Amino acid sequence: MRAVIVAAAVAFLISLFGTPIAIRVFSALKAGQPIRTIGPQTHLGKRGTPTMGGVAFILATVFAYVAGHLALTTLPDRQIAQEKPTMTALVLLGIFVFCGAVGFLDDFLKVRKKNSDGLSAKGKLLGQLLIGTAFGLVALNFPSTNGQTVASEKISFIRDVSWLDVGKVGSVMVFVFVIMAMSNGVNLTDGLDGLATGASILVLGAYSLIGFWQYRHWCGDDDYRLTSELTQQHCYQVRDPLEIAMIAAAAAAACVGFLWWNTNPARIFMGDTGALALGGLIGGLAVATRTTLLSVIIGGLFVIITMSVVIQIISFKTTGKRVFRMSPLQHHFELAGWSEVNIVVRFWIIAGICAAIGLGLFYSDHLAVMG
């Protein structure tokens, strides 16, 4: 627990005090966010607000992991402290950083061209595909000393579903899909001051709790696993759950520090740099905690907003009519007359409800198997 608290505290402080530095740097570089003229007219006043702010919480999370890991190495042997970064950390932070790099390239091109085009959709998807494939292969092919890999060859809900064995090729495909889906889901949710940041805090907070709970009931902990035959059968078969909790908590805390400056009216935007990074990390956390299907509920707001875009496209291409005034969904409510603050807070509530339901389902499984 100490390592998780240290990582979260360091991430929050670095992000809180580092984001103003990012604001000054990107303002000096004239890295202002281009605004689409076809969007809500209220957004035109945001033109020139510095973007690429995701760099602040990405760096804060990485540095916080190092600090938390240093605290982790001082834990008693019983808690299986690691002197070196684990493969789980390398996969999760690797996805976080490299998805952020794809987003950074997109933001850079937008700023350079002074329009909202940026990297092409195919270019972004190709980048996500390569990242997902590379880290998916790593997640499946480098087991720990007890044989656990970061990812599994089975589809998971709250645990691996035994009859949903898709093999290594299928597992890499699932891994890629989850990373791409979550990356683009968070990216579509971005667009209103603080919306994606606040929703991500709630989802990452949920995964921090899941990771820590799995650590406390982990098959890798002999003192827990050997307590009884029941715990041996129903402990969590995951790799490095304490590091999962630490990274999720650090990212959530870094987003809290960033939100101080990103809330309405935003002093800086996370940009695709932050949105793609956060979505990639959330997807990685879903795979690493064996909650792939449950992530659809935990990250329910991202799913709802993504589906609003899909519905809009299908409806327009098949009938020529739009279901929503504008997609993604948050812009529909803007055009319906809701204030930006109202939309953000109400969507945060939805995100919180989804995360709470996901946590409830996760915990109910433990009650069922232990009761």
Side-chain angles (χ1 to χ4, degrees):
M1 187 64 175
R2 177 174 59 184
V4 176
I5 293 173
V6 168
V10 170
F12 171 73
L13 292 173
I14 293 177
S15 183
L16 181 65
F17 294 107
T19 301
I21 297 174
I23 293 172
R24 289 194 292 272
V25 170
F26 290 126
S27 295
L29 295 174
K30 298 185 178 181
Q33 174 71 49
I35 303 297
R36 293 186 304 167
T37 55
I38 61 172
Q41 296 303 298
T42 54
H43 287 206
L44 297 179
K46 301 180 181 184
R47 183 181 285 116
T49 302
T51 186
M52 306 185 197
V55 169
F57 59 71
I58 292 172
L59 291 177
T61 302
V62 173
F63 284 124
Y65 168 75
V66 174
H69 193 77
L70 290 174
L72 186 61
T73 59
T74 66
L75 293 174
D77 291 341
R78 187 192 77 80
Q79 301 194 49
I80 314 177
Q82 298 283 344
E83 293 184 0
K84 298 179 181 179
T86 62
M87 189 57 64
T88 301
L90 293 175
V91 169
L92 293 178
L93 293 177
I95 294 169
F96 194 40
V97 171
F98 280 96
C99 283
V102 173
F104 185 87
L105 178 59
D106 182 48
D107 289 331
F108 174 78
L109 292 175
K110 288 176 183 176
V111 170
R112 186 177 181 182
K113 296 177 181 178
K114 298 188 184 302
N115 61 46
S116 58
D117 291 341
L119 191 64
S120 68
K122 289 183 179 179
K124 253 191 285 197
L125 291 174
L126 178 61
Q128 294 168 331
L129 176 63
L130 293 175
I131 293 166
T133 301
F135 284 103
L137 290 170
V138 172
L140 278 166
N141 290 291
F142 292 88
S144 61
T145 54
N146 64 358
Q148 285 294 330
T149 53
V150 179
S152 169
E153 294 184 24
K154 298 179 177 64
I155 304 294
S156 59
F157 179 55
I158 295 173
R159 303 170 186 267
D160 283 340
V161 181
S162 59
W163 54 272
L164 287 178
D165 192 326
V166 294
K168 284 195 174 182
V169 174
S171 181
V172 172
M173 292 173 65
V174 170
F175 191 96
V176 170
F177 175 78
V178 172
I179 298 302
M180 294 178 70
M182 280 297 179
S183 285
N184 290 298
V186 176
N187 198 24
L188 290 171
T189 303
D190 195 22
L192 300 185
D193 295 352
L195 176 56
T197 309
S200 296
I201 290 168
L202 293 165
V203 175
L204 290 166
Y207 271 112
S208 180
L209 292 174
I210 286 173
F212 191 74
W213 182 262
Q214 289 179 331
Y215 167 66
R216 297 299 297 173
H217 305 83
W218 183 30
C219 296
D221 184 346
D222 289 340
D223 284 356
Y224 175 79
R225 180 171 55 84
L226 300 179
T227 301
S228 69
E229 183 179 349
L230 183 63
T231 56
Q232 185 175 0
Q233 292 174 350
H234 297 293
C235 56
Y236 292 97
Q237 296 280 357
V238 296
R239 179 170 179 174
D240 312 312
L242 185 57
E243 295 232 317
I244 292 173
M246 187 166 58
I247 291 169
C255 286
V256 173
F258 180 76
L259 184 61
W260 182 270
W261 306 100
N262 181 237
T263 192
N264 187 272
R267 295 275 305 280
I268 188 170
F269 299 138
M270 71 166 68
D272 281 22
T273 304
L276 295 184
L278 288 172
L281 176 60
I282 291 169
L285 290 167
V287 173
T289 56
R290 308 294 195 265
T291 57
T292 303
L293 296 179
L294 186 64
S295 68
V296 175
I297 298 173
I298 295 174
L301 178 66
F302 304 138
V303 175
I304 292 168
I305 288 177
T306 301
M307 289 307 301
S308 74
V309 176
V310 173
I311 291 169
Q312 186 86 321
I313 292 172
I314 293 175
S315 176
F316 187 75
K317 287 191 173 182
T318 56
T319 68
K321 297 180 180 179
R322 292 180 173 85
V323 176
F324 307 104
R325 290 181 171 90
M326 185 178 180
S327 66
L329 188 61
Q330 61 269 32
H331 299 318
H332 167 82
F333 289 105
E334 276 191 288
L335 296 179
W338 289 24
S339 72
E340 183 169 350
V341 173
N342 275 343
I343 297 169
V344 169
V345 172
R346 287 168 181 170
F347 276 39
W348 283 352
I349 293 171
I350 294 171
I353 291 171
C354 291
I357 292 173
L359 285 173
L361 290 172
F362 177 82
Y363 185 62
S364 67
D365 171 79
H366 177 80
L367 293 178
V369 298
M370 297 301 292

